[in-house]
Amino acid sequence: MQVKSNTFISKKFTFWSFVSMFVLVFLHGYNLNHRYLQPWTMVEEPLTFNTYFQYFLCNGIFKFRIPMLFAISGYLFAVQDYKPYKQQIGKRFKTLLIPYFIWSIFALLLTYLFEMFAVTKGLVESSHLMQIDEKRMFLHEYKWHEWLEKALANPVAYQLWFLRVLFIYNLAYPVIKWLVTHKVAKYIFFPLVTLFWLSHGHLYFIEGEGLLFFALGVWIQKTNFNIEQPNKWLKPLPWAIILVVAVAVKTQMAYLGYEKIKPWMGLVVLLYKIAIPSGLICMWFGCDTIVMWCMNKKWFVWLTSFSFMIYALHVPLVTYTIDGMFKLLNYMPHYRFITFFVLPISIIALAVSIGYILKNTLPKVYGILTGGRGL
């Protein structure tokens, strides 16, 4: 089975890939006091519309995006597996690893440049993104091997982990394919990888969320599972209700604090995990009208061609500029809420503009930077 470029499923893949990149900028623009989100992250400030809204979206509703991308990636790799494996991996090296290293180095150099000027150096310091111990807050203070680690394994542009992990799963595709299609192995593999996912665990370059949903994408393609129409267990309305209830309860619990919530931490993580598949199901099967409308608009299709530029460019820019936006807008009521919308939209517009200029003036460079996407 191959996905024709003119099918609605192909359009859905394009739409959700773009939307996942788009909302990712908002997630990384989350600007409450404690900004590093984990399933168990608490809201360490008073309950307001702003704090509730941001947490509700960023640590709940938006969490479908990475599993969606892994599932799409697994499906599309499986579609193309009639091609020689070496050819496929060579292509993935160009589309995943080369952009990974280029954008990782770019983020390092951008940070180094920011640290050379007093105003932007303060932004780097307030973000704590470069803090490596209690005393060292800046890239200028790193040792050579710490620079190397940041370039290769732990990039400043932290969203790039997805490219690295996806390349590993592409390498492991023959094994994953066998595990998800073998009549016995699949009944062992899926329960084990689901438990790994529920544990929120990771092992070197393998982590539960990516492995489960990449493998699920492979399984869906190889079994010809119907992803066009939901069966009776995948109707979007019940799953949308589950999604909203799970996220609402988890968000309310996030205000109780770590001490009070400690006995219930397992429930907090479970609600977080429930939100992911319920979000995937209700988004994929419940938004076809929106997808159709958007993908019939030339301007929207044009925007989707810059998905990768939005993904690659937004961090560390969004991380460094949150506090700068606060200083610019703090005279306004609800400036944090305004920042949550204005800053991501501004950075998306910047990424699209840079992508447009490069695409039209230096198409070969643009192709290298994006792994050939959007040309």
Side-chain angles (χ1 to χ4, degrees), residues 198-210:
L198 288 171
S199 72
H200 207 67
H202 64 275
L203 182 64
Y204 297 105
F205 295 138
I206 301 173
E207 44 70 56
E209 192 165 277

Side-chain angles (χ1 to χ4, degrees), residues 291-310:
V291 175
M292 182 68 76
W293 185 88
C294 290
M295 295 305 293
N296 283 332
K297 303 297 180 183
K298 290 183 179 179
W299 63 266
F300 187 88
V301 175
W302 177 82
L303 271 181
T304 63
S305 67
F306 299 105
S307 294
F308 191 84
M309 285 297 295
I310 294 170

Side-chain angles (χ1 to χ4, degrees), residues 269-368:
V269 176
L270 181 61
L271 290 169
Y272 175 92
K273 295 295 183 179
I274 288 172
I276 292 173
S278 57
L280 270 173
I281 293 167
C282 71
M283 297 296 174
W284 180 263
F285 288 115
C287 297
D288 283 1
T289 301
I290 297 173
V291 175
M292 182 68 76
W293 185 88
C294 290
M295 295 305 293
N296 283 332
K297 303 297 180 183
K298 290 183 179 179
W299 63 266
F300 187 88
V301 175
W302 177 82
L303 271 181
T304 63
S305 67
F306 299 105
S307 294
F308 191 84
M309 285 297 295
I310 294 170
Y311 165 77
L313 193 61
H314 79 277
V315 174
L317 280 176
V318 69
T319 311
Y320 290 156
T321 51
I322 288 174
D323 289 330
M325 285 289 290
F326 282 178
K327 291 178 181 179
L328 287 175
L329 302 178
N330 64 6
Y331 67 93
M332 300 175 63
H334 314 297
Y335 68 92
R336 294 170 73 192
F337 187 68
I338 294 171
T339 297
F340 179 67
F341 284 98
V342 172
L343 181 58
I345 290 296
S346 300
I347 289 177
I348 289 169
L350 175 65
V352 171
S353 300
I354 293 173
Y356 176 78
I357 293 169
L358 285 174
K359 186 176 179 180
N360 286 277
T361 58
L362 299 168
K364 290 185 178 180
V365 173
Y366 181 82
I368 294 171

Side-chain angles (χ1 to χ4, degrees), residues 173-326:
Y173 174 77
V175 176
I176 293 173
K177 176 185 174 182
W178 184 85
L179 287 170
V180 303
T181 56
H182 190 275
K183 60 182 179 180
V184 175
K186 62 185 177 183
Y187 295 112
I188 300 172
F189 173 75
F190 273 119
L192 287 177
V193 78
T194 300
L195 289 174
F196 188 47
W197 170 68
L198 288 171
S199 72
H200 207 67
H202 64 275
L203 182 64
Y204 297 105
F205 295 138
I206 301 173
E207 44 70 56
E209 192 165 277
L211 181 58
L212 174 61
F213 291 98
F214 181 87
L216 187 62
V218 175
W219 177 83
I220 287 171
Q221 198 279 326
K222 290 305 169 190
T223 58
N224 290 317
F225 185 87
N226 188 355
I227 58 174
E228 296 187 45
Q229 296 294 330
N231 62 35
K232 63 180 181 178
W233 301 107
L234 297 177
K235 297 295 184 182
L237 182 58
W239 286 101
I241 295 171
I242 292 171
L243 170 66
V244 172
V245 171
V247 175
V249 172
K250 181 185 179 300
T251 302
Q252 196 64 43
M253 294 177 75
Y255 287 89
L256 298 177
Y258 287 103
E259 290 304 317
K260 288 184 179 180
I261 211 68
K262 190 178 293 184
W264 300 97
M265 194 60 74
L267 177 59
V268 171
V269 176
L270 181 61
L271 290 169
Y272 175 92
K273 295 295 183 179
I274 288 172
I276 292 173
S278 57
L280 270 173
I281 293 167
C282 71
M283 297 296 174
W284 180 263
F285 288 115
C287 297
D288 283 1
T289 301
I290 297 173
V291 175
M292 182 68 76
W293 185 88
C294 290
M295 295 305 293
N296 283 332
K297 303 297 180 183
K298 290 183 179 179
W299 63 266
F300 187 88
V301 175
W302 177 82
L303 271 181
T304 63
S305 67
F306 299 105
S307 294
F308 191 84
M309 285 297 295
I310 294 170
Y311 165 77
L313 193 61
H314 79 277
V315 174
L317 280 176
V318 69
T319 311
Y320 290 156
T321 51
I322 288 174
D323 289 330
M325 285 289 290
F326 282 178

